[in-house]
């Protein structure tokens, strides 16, 4: 099969399902990610009518553009360009369940859904945009690898960026988290832009704090997979959470409250959602401690990552 020249597009409407993701998980800043059972679905179809039309339902429906500026559409065009050419027109329908601006990977979900859909709509797309290049494109658009890696692969992931010019540029180590872990997310009604949260981080951090996190991040990979008894210590952080406190004081208070009760908890990604690594027994306690200011969801771990699903599923 030829992988150069203008691509041929599949006519059938195609649906992708992508999980929400929590990044950092405490000490693993820009490295650790966890996919959870909360999903956005996007259906795409190439058309002969030129232009991009986007229909959006659910989370963020009122705040996103309905044309070529929509993040899924923009990402699909980047992928089509990488595969040799764009279709004449494109129709998208987004069913969003992942809240926007809350630290649950909604932009990573949009980017991954766009890349996976574009590839599925091109005959021979898997050869034109191989996995390593798809991941690199996702990270280039998102700016950091932790959410997109977990969104693509499911489960827990450790992701890293190699030195410029190395190939593949992005490395991912998928982990299989213990079935005993029950992720509970406490989502406040306010949002925080990742850009703002990143601007609060200092240029330099004390060596002792780096050492503190290095031990815990290493421990986290064992705690997530085999030694859940270590999760409490392994989710402690000194690199980013306290620098960002001013962006989400109530969420920071909740992390402290949960930890004071012995429940492993951290800020999810760039916040302001709080993620607790509960057990079947302690999940309800998280909801009680979070109270009415947070919408608390007891979730599962998504182990599949982004996938093409039947149109009627
Ligand atoms: N690692 C990123 C951050 C995740 O904390 O800024 C953003 O979702």
């Amino acid at each position: 099969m030829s992988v150069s020249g203008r691509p041929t597009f599949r006519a059938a409407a195609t649906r992708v399902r992508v999980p929400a993701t929590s990044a950092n998980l405490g000490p693993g800043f820009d490295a650790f990610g966890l996919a959870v059972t909360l999903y956005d679905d996007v259906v795409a179809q190439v058309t002969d009518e030129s232009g991009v039309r986007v229909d959006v339902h659910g989370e963020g429906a009122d705040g996103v553009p309905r044309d070529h500026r929509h993040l899924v559409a923009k990402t699909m065009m980047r992928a089509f360009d990488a595969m040799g050419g764009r279709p004449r027109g494109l129709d998208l329908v987004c069913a969003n369940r992942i809240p926007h601006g809350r630290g649950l990977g909604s932009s990573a979900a949009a980017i991954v859904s766009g890349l996976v859909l574009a590839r599925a709509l091109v005959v021979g797309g898997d050869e034109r945009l191989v996995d390593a290049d798809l991941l690199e494109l996702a990270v280039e658009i998102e700016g950091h690898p932790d959410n997109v890696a977990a969104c693509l692969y499911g489960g827990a992931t450790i992701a890293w960026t190699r030195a410029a010019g190395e190939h593949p540029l992005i490395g991912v180590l998928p982990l299989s988290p213990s079935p005993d872990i029950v992720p509970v997310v406490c989502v406040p009604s306010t949002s925080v832009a990742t850009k703002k949260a990143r601007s609060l981080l200092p240029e330099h951090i004390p060596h002792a704090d780096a050492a503190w996190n290095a031990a815990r991040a290493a421990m986290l990979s064992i705690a997530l997979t085999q030694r859940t008894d270590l999760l409490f210590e392994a989710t402690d952080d000194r690199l980013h959470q306290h620098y960002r406190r001013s962006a989400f004081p109530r969420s920071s208070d909740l992390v402290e409250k949960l930890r004071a009760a012995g429940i492993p908890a951290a800020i999810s990604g760039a916040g302001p959602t709080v993620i607790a690594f509960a057990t079947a027994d302690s999940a309800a306690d998280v909801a009680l401690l979070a109270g009415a200011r947070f919408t608390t969801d007891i979730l599962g771990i998504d182990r599949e990552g982004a996938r093409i699903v039947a149109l009627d599923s």
Side-chain angles (χ1 to χ4, degrees), residues 138-213:
V139 175
E140 189 186 315
I141 299 168
E142 171 80 339
H144 46 88
D146 41 1
N147 293 94
V148 292
C151 186
L152 262 172
Y153 290 91
T157 46
I158 305 173
W160 62 95
T161 304
R162 298 193 173 90
E166 284 189 48
H167 191 78
L169 186 62
I170 309 300
V172 179
L173 178 63
L175 304 174
S176 185
S178 163
D180 298 340
I181 299 171
V182 178
V184 183
V185 292
C186 310
V187 187
S189 56
T190 50
S191 61
V192 172
T194 299
K195 199 169 166 198
K196 157 123 201 285
R198 290 181 87 84
S199 75
L200 297 172
L201 300 176
E203 192 83 354
H204 301 282
I205 47 109
H207 203 274
D209 288 352
W212 174 281
N213 268 50

Side-chain angles (χ1 to χ4, degrees), residues 24 78 85 101 164 170 200 224 280-281 308:
N24 303 330
R78 293 278 299 269
I170 309 300
L200 297 172
L224 284 169
D281 289 340
I308 300 294

Side-chain angles (χ1 to χ4, degrees), residues 118-153:
R119 192 161 74 164
L121 289 172
V122 166
V123 175
D126 288 352
E127 286 94 41
R128 286 176 181 258
L129 185 64
V130 299
D131 287 349
D133 294 343
L134 184 146
L135 180 61
E136 187 174 331
L137 195 48
V139 175
E140 189 186 315
I141 299 168
E142 171 80 339
H144 46 88
D146 41 1
N147 293 94
V148 292
C151 186
L152 262 172
Y153 290 91

Side-chain angles (χ1 to χ4, degrees), residues 13-241:
T14 304
R15 180 178 197 140
V16 69
R17 180 163 294 159
V18 284
T21 49
S22 180
N24 303 330
L25 314 186
F29 181 74
D30 275 2
F32 276 82
L34 180 73
V36 293
T37 53
L38 177 69
Y39 302 97
D40 280 355
D41 277 27
V42 186
V43 177
Q45 186 165 29
V46 298
T47 64
D48 289 332
E49 190 188 338
S50 67
V52 178
R53 292 151 296 274
V54 187
D55 194 6
V56 187
H57 304 269
E59 293 288 343
D62 297 334
V64 294
R66 307 287 179 116
D67 54 21
H68 64 281
R69 294 166 301 159
H70 188 279
L71 183 54
V72 176
K74 281 201 294 191
T75 305
M76 288 184 78
M77 293 308 158
R78 293 278 299 269
F80 288 135
D81 289 344
M83 289 186 285
R86 300 180 177 189
R88 196 166 155 70
L90 187 66
D91 283 352
L92 292 179
V93 181
C94 306
N96 293 345
R97 296 175 200 90
I98 307 172
H100 288 192
R102 302 299 204 290
L104 283 169
S106 63
S107 62
I111 291 163
V112 168
S113 63
L115 295 175
V116 170
L117 272 175
R119 192 161 74 164
L121 289 172
V122 166
V123 175
D126 288 352
E127 286 94 41
R128 286 176 181 258
L129 185 64
V130 299
D131 287 349
D133 294 343
L134 184 146
L135 180 61
E136 187 174 331
L137 195 48
V139 175
E140 189 186 315
I141 299 168
E142 171 80 339
H144 46 88
D146 41 1
N147 293 94
V148 292
C151 186
L152 262 172
Y153 290 91
T157 46
I158 305 173
W160 62 95
T161 304
R162 298 193 173 90
E166 284 189 48
H167 191 78
L169 186 62
I170 309 300
V172 179
L173 178 63
L175 304 174
S176 185
S178 163
D180 298 340
I181 299 171
V182 178
V184 183
V185 292
C186 310
V187 187
S189 56
T190 50
S191 61
V192 172
T194 299
K195 199 169 166 198
K196 157 123 201 285
R198 290 181 87 84
S199 75
L200 297 172
L201 300 176
E203 192 83 354
H204 301 282
I205 47 109
H207 203 274
D209 288 352
W212 174 281
N213 268 50
R216 283 159 181 81
M219 205 189 333
L220 184 57
S221 55
I222 310 289
L224 284 169
T225 51
Q226 304 159 41
R227 291 280 310 274
T228 52
D229 59 300
L230 292 175
L231 273 171
F232 185 81
E233 273 203 272
T235 50
D236 207 0
D237 159 70
R238 287 195 175 174
L239 286 196
H240 60 102
Q241 292 183 166

